[in-house]
């Protein structure tokens, strides 16, 4: 019984008691009626159903307020993050899609992360579906517990980019995600050279580059920027428009959700 029904119940009781003074032999004085109504109200207030209803309403109000506060805090955090994201640099970053696109998705990722493996094809489809307005920027964030594979794979992609260009970087990255079994040892380090040769990169030059650690610093720079903007896990992506409005993506979101976020940012 909800609160309105309870009030009706009390009013009905009061009415019955009132008309009983006319319709029955037994009559009630004013104090007796007040006492009976008071007892009925106390009984209703003490009932489990009534208290459960009040508690539930209180919890719902509390949760709603907490959600509103969390939403405001999230918006503030996103704004702070957007200010600290390193600006996209075509000379340094790996960009896929329209170079001057209105919307950018910047991903901080780990080649040995199983969630990144699931996320990667979703972003590929997202880019294909929004080729007129979206570009994809890939940055490294190899997690320590996915090493040694994750960091060496990140460095390997940089060697490929250095030796064969941006398109080769993306082709190589796609193949690692396709073939790795993830979690640190999903794609053996010894196979990185062979994969580079497979896409047309000089094997000897690749091996020299990877063994030298030439791009270890660049990978660490990506990670440092990720730390600065609050990245703690992968995949972590930021969808931004040219005004700096942003939405954060944490985890392997499905394509439909990613598309909704792109559409949302496009309208801001």
């Amino acid at each position: 019984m909800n609160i309105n029904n309870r009030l009706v119940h009390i009013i009905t009781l009061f009415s019955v008691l009132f008309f009983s003074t006319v319709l029955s032999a037994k009559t009630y004085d004013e104090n007796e009626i007040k006492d009976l109504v008071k007892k009925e109200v106390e009984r209703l207030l003490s009932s489990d159903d009534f208290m459960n209803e009040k508690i539930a309403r209180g919890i719902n109000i509390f949760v709603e307020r907490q959600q509103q506060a969390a939403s405001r805090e999230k918006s503030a955090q996103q704004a702070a993050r957007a200010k600290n994201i390193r600006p996209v640099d075509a000379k340094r970053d790996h960009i896929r899609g329209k170079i001057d696109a209105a919307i950018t998705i910047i991903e901080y990722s780990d080649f040995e992360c199983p969630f990144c493996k699931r996320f990667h094809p979703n972003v590929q489809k997202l880019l294909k579906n929004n080729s007129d307005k979206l570009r994809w920027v890939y940055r490294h964030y190899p997690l320590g517990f996915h090493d040694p594979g994750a960091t060496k794979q990140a460095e390997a992609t940089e060697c490929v980019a250095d030796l064969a260009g941006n398109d080769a970087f993306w082709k190589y990255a796609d193949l690692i995600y396709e073939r790795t079994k993830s979690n640190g040892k999903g794609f053996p380090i010894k196979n990185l050279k062979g994969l580079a040769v497979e896409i047309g990169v000089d094997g000897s030059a690749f091996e020299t580059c990877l063994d030298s650690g030439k791009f270890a610093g660049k990978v660490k720079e990506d990670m440092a920027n990720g730390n600065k903007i609050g990245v703690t896990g992968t995949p972590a992506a930021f969808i931004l428009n040219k005004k700096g409005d942003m939405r954060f993506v944490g985890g392997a979101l499905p394509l439909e959700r990613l598309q909704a976020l792109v559409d949302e940012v496009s309208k801001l």
Side-chain angles (χ1 to χ4, degrees):
M1 184 185 295
N2 61 34
I3 294 175
N4 289 334
N5 288 340
R6 294 181 188 283
L7 291 174
V8 170
H9 180 79
I10 293 170
I11 293 170
T12 301
L13 174 65
F14 181 84
S15 300
V16 169
L17 291 171
F18 176 79
F19 284 110
S20 70
T21 62
V22 177
L23 300 176
S24 70
K26 181 173 177 55
T27 61
Y28 297 85
D29 62 27
E30 182 179 349
N31 288 332
E32 286 179 310
I33 292 173
K34 287 180 179 180
D35 186 57
L36 288 170
V37 172
K38 178 182 178 182
K39 288 180 179 179
E40 177 62 10
V41 171
E42 289 175 345
R43 184 188 70 78
L44 290 171
L45 290 174
S46 65
S47 69
D48 289 340
D49 288 344
F50 182 80
M51 291 308 297
N52 288 340
E53 183 177 313
K54 294 289 286 184
I55 291 170
R57 285 185 62 199
I59 290 173
N60 288 337
I61 291 171
F62 174 78
V63 169
E64 183 177 348
R65 289 176 178 172
Q66 290 295 103
Q67 288 175 336
Q68 291 173 349
S71 179
R72 290 192 295 269
E73 176 66 19
K74 183 178 180 181
S75 296
Q77 289 176 350
Q78 288 183 340
R81 282 177 166 182
K83 292 179 181 179
N84 290 319
I85 293 176
R86 189 180 69 235
V88 176
D89 182 353
K91 294 181 179 179
R92 186 190 189 284
D93 282 309
H94 303 294
I95 303 172
R96 194 174 202 169
K98 191 176 179 181
I99 195 69
D100 61 345
I103 305 297
T104 302
I105 179 167
I106 301 176
E107 179 190 0
Y108 290 79
S109 201
D110 172 345
F111 286 106
E112 282 295 292
C113 166
F115 300 104
C116 299
K117 179 179 172 69
R118 287 164 47 190
F119 186 65
H120 196 77
N122 290 345
V123 186
Q124 287 177 306
K125 294 173 186 174
L126 182 72
L127 185 64
K128 182 178 179 180
N129 295 343
N130 299 272
S131 58
D132 60 326
K133 64 180 179 182
L134 182 66
R135 63 179 180 174
W136 180 8
V137 176
Y138 188 99
R139 291 176 179 170
H140 303 290
Y141 199 86
L143 300 168
F145 54 84
H146 285 156
D147 275 336
T151 295
K152 294 308 289 185
Q153 287 167 15
E155 292 177 27
T157 62
E158 292 297 333
C159 286
V160 166
D162 185 53
L163 295 167
N166 187 62
D167 289 345
F169 166 87
W170 285 103
K171 189 173 183 179
Y172 193 75
D174 290 346
L175 287 174
I176 291 178
Y177 277 120
E178 285 176 16
R179 299 182 186 181
T180 184
K181 295 180 181 179
S182 304
N183 292 315
K185 297 180 180 179
F187 191 89
I189 293 174
K190 66 181 182 179
N191 292 347
L192 290 172
K193 176 182 175 181
L195 187 63
V197 172
E198 182 180 328
I199 66 168
V201 177
D202 181 88
S204 178
F206 171 86
E207 190 171 39
T208 298
C209 175
L210 187 60
D211 289 347
S212 71
K214 180 178 180 179
F215 290 102
K218 185 177 181 180
V219 172
K220 290 179 180 178
E221 286 175 2
D222 279 358
M223 292 189 69
N225 186 242
N227 291 334
K228 187 175 181 180
I229 59 178
V231 174
T232 57
T234 55
F238 302 83
I239 301 175
L240 308 93
N241 61 25
K242 289 189 174 182
K243 294 186 295 182
D245 299 309
M246 185 196 77
R247 293 293 181 268
F248 172 67
V249 178
L253 293 190
L255 177 61
E256 295 77 11
R257 181 57 182 150
L258 290 172
Q259 184 63 61
L261 289 171
V262 167
D263 293 341
E264 185 178 336
V265 172
S266 299
K267 297 174 183 177
L268 294 176

